[in-house]
Amino acid sequence: MKYWLMKSEPGTFSLQDLKEAKNGTECWDGVRNYQARNFMRDEMKIGDRVLFYHSVTNPSLVGTAKVVREAYPDHTAWDPESPYYDPKSSPENPRWMMVDIQFVQEFPHPLSLKEIRSLPGLEKMLLLRKGMRLSIQPVTEEEYRIILNHIYLQS
């Protein structure tokens, strides 16, 4: 099993949106970064755990999800009306992928970026690197456990 951090702007797609989706499951579409796409396509597997991160306003970890469907072509790239349209992608030659994730839990309180920075053992976490803007990034099992332990010790 692998662990991931997935970022979303809450005004676009929030943890609450995932929770309210049918069966708490939704596709993670619209990724238009090759490295993030490669993580989904090559490494994400069913059962992998996800830290759900709200970016922009009050950046913070807000809950967890899990991968329930492995990578498949992102059809939004073929829709000229979609903000994620890519004329170089087609059903015959898909350029972009997506996975399905399912809501697992909402944290009792968000874990802010400032708090994350202060936690021992997270100093090397990709999220904390200067210039790290990937919407999908790997997290070590230890980082995942540190975060969950902190969340539930604070509750």
Side-chain angles (χ1 to χ4, degrees), residues 70-119:
E70 293 178 15
Y72 60 101
D74 183 344
H75 58 84
T76 65
W78 313 324
D79 178 2
E81 303 299 313
S82 170
Y84 306 117
Y85 176 63
D86 181 349
K88 294 181 181 177
S89 184
S90 69
E92 301 76 35
N93 188 21
R95 179 178 283 207
W96 304 108
M97 306 300 280
M98 59 186 176
V99 297
D100 289 356
I101 62 170
Q102 184 175 59
F103 174 84
V104 172
Q105 66 181 331
E106 183 173 357
F107 292 153
H109 58 86
L111 184 61
S112 72
L113 185 57
K114 183 178 179 181
E115 288 177 276
I116 296 166
R117 287 187 192 286
S118 73
L119 293 177

Side-chain angles (χ1 to χ4, degrees), residues 7-10 53-60:
K7 292 182 189 178
S8 182
E9 295 180 17
Y53 185 84
H54 283 170
S55 59
V56 186
T57 309
N58 189 27
S60 53

Side-chain angles (χ1 to χ4, degrees), residues 9 18 24 34 50 52 57 72 83 132 134 139 141:
E9 295 180 17
L18 179 61
Y34 288 107
V50 174
F52 200 108
T57 309
Y72 60 101
M132 177 52 72
L134 281 179
V139 173
E141 182 177 0

Side-chain angles (χ1 to χ4, degrees), residues 27-76:
C27 61
W28 196 266
D29 62 357
V31 173
R32 297 299 181 263
N33 173 283
Y34 288 107
Q35 189 173 5
R37 181 221 42 203
N38 293 349
F39 284 143
M40 286 192 296
R41 183 190 67 197
D42 302 337
E43 297 186 45
M44 282 189 164
K45 302 291 179 210
I46 292 173
D48 283 0
R49 301 298 181 201
V50 174
L51 291 169
F52 200 108
Y53 185 84
H54 283 170
S55 59
V56 186
T57 309
N58 189 27
S60 53
L61 288 168
V62 294
T64 64
K66 65 182 177 180
V67 176
V68 293
R69 182 177 177 191
E70 293 178 15
Y72 60 101
D74 183 344
H75 58 84
T76 65

